[in-house]
Amino acid sequence: MSRRRLAALVAFVALAPAVLADPAAEEAAIRQRFLDWTEAFNARDADGACDLFAPDLAYALPEVAQGTRATICGNFARLFARPGLTLRYDPPLIHEILIEGDLAVVRLRWTLTTEADGLRETGVEEGMDVLRRQPDGRWAIARFVAFTPEAE
């Protein structure tokens, strides 16, 4: 086999996962990851909730400018350990999913209901998540931003 053909074959194999991936299957896998996260969070499973986030996670929220995976996972553990606090996320409302190779961008809305000391509150957050396919093939959030929309 000539070097030219070998180089073309190597390039094709390297690009094949992105070229041959089934967009509907990839979108379904991403949607399932978010549903699995919702289930883990609602079950107060800190390890399960952390599973959605890539090791190199970086995020920004109004109250956290430079969040990391350690930050968010530590916050989950502390939050879930609080007695008398009930937390429940609805499945996310996904506005759109854009997939390009091993990166995906998801625009979505989360609704969280909290109950503590007899008070019940529901809040909404809009967000944008950047997911990266991990070495094991699963999608994980590598970057995200979230904010509370102004009343319309």
Side-chain angles (χ1 to χ4, degrees):
M1 177 178 287
S2 73
R3 285 185 181 217
R4 181 180 233 160
R5 282 191 178 173
L6 181 59
L9 179 61
V10 168
F12 175 78
V13 170
L15 296 173
V19 172
L20 300 177
D22 176 3
E26 296 299 339
E27 183 173 321
I30 290 168
R31 288 179 182 276
Q32 188 61 53
R33 291 285 284 155
F34 283 108
L35 292 175
D36 292 345
W37 182 88
T38 303
E39 185 176 301
F41 184 94
N42 291 343
R44 300 172 84 95
D45 174 3
D47 290 338
C50 287
D51 184 60
L52 179 59
F53 301 104
D56 66 337
L57 173 69
Y59 67 92
L61 302 171
E63 63 277 3
V64 180
Q66 298 291 325
T68 65
R69 188 174 196 276
T71 306
I72 201 165
C73 293
N75 288 343
F76 287 154
R78 283 186 292 283
L79 194 62
F80 296 158
R82 288 182 52 190
L85 177 63
T86 303
L87 304 160
R88 176 156 181 78
Y89 268 107
D90 292 346
L93 171 61
I94 296 177
H95 303 302
E96 71 179 320
I97 299 175
L98 304 171
I99 302 170
E100 186 64 40
D102 288 339
L103 287 177
V105 177
V106 180
R107 284 190 326 106
L108 70 172
R109 173 179 283 186
W110 289 102
T111 302
L112 173 65
T113 302
T114 60
E115 290 185 49
D117 301 323
L119 298 173
R120 183 179 187 173
E121 292 184 25
T122 299
V124 173
E125 282 187 340
E126 290 288 332
M128 186 171 296
D129 299 342
V130 177
L131 291 85
R132 184 180 311 119
R133 190 186 324 272
Q134 299 300 295
D136 66 2
R138 297 183 319 150
W139 291 96
I141 296 175
R143 305 288 183 270
F144 79 85
V145 294
F147 63 94
T148 303
E150 297 293 322
E152 297 175 14

